[in-house]
Amino acid sequence: MGDVLFLLSAVCWAAYTLAGPRVLAGVDPLRATTYATCAGALLLGVVAAPDLPDVDWSGLPSAVWLNAAYLALGAAAVANLLYYRGVAAVGPASASLMMFTVPVVNTVCGTLFLGETFGPVQAVGALVLLAGAVLAALHGRLARRKGTPFVAEEEGRGRRVVERC
C-alpha cells in the first residue's frame, strides 16, 4: 500500500508541475505555494482525522513540535517556493528533473546526519534516479557523434537551438 501511495504522490506532483504554470498563470510563486501547501494540509488532515482522538497531545515532546514546525515552514514551504520559482524560470520539464535528486540528497543527508544506513539497495536506487535525471536531461540520447547537429526545443518558448559538436 505504501508503494501505491508513493506512486500516486509522484503522479500528483507531475500533474502539479505540468498544470501549475497554466492554472496559476499570473499568480505569485509564494501565493501558489501557499495554495498548494494548504490543499495538501487539508487532504492530510482528512486522512489523519480518524486517528486524532487517540493521540496523547500533552505527552508529545517539544522535539516533535519543533520538527513539525521546521518541516512545515522550513523544508516544505521554502523548497516548494524555490521549486515553483524554478518552474516559472525554466519551465516544468526542466525544473521537474530536479525531483530525481530529492531522494538521493535525502538519503545522503540521512546517512551523514542521522546515522541511517546506506546499503546496496540505496546505492542502486540512487544510481537509477541519477541515471533517469541524466537520460531525461539528454532527451534519451546518451551520446552524439562529433559533427552531428543537435537540435533542442525549449518547451513553451518556441525556440530551436542547433549546435555542432
Side-chain angles (χ1 to χ4, degrees), residues 62-79 106 109:
S62 59
V64 170
W65 294 106
L66 290 172
N67 189 25
Y70 165 74
L71 288 173
L73 300 174
V78 171
N106 288 343
C109 288

Side-chain angles (χ1 to χ4, degrees), residues 98-162:
M98 293 308 297
M99 295 311 294
F100 284 104
T101 64
V102 170
V104 177
V105 171
N106 288 343
T107 302
V108 170
C109 288
T111 301
L112 293 175
F113 302 121
L114 301 175
E116 299 285 333
T117 59
F118 189 85
V121 171
Q122 289 81 10
V124 168
L127 289 174
V128 167
L129 287 166
L130 292 174
V134 169
L135 284 173
L138 297 175
H139 304 288
R141 294 187 226 30
L142 287 177
R144 290 179 278 137
R145 287 187 291 217
K146 203 156 184 76
T148 305
F150 172 69
V151 178
E153 294 190 29
E154 292 185 30
E155 187 173 320
R157 294 193 169 80
R159 292 188 280 179
R160 290 173 55 98
V161 178
V162 179

Side-chain angles (χ1 to χ4, degrees), residues 26-47:
V27 177
D28 178 62
L30 180 58
R31 185 175 300 228
T33 299
T34 302
Y35 291 157
T37 302
C38 289
L42 181 65
L43 291 173
L44 284 173
V46 168
V47 172

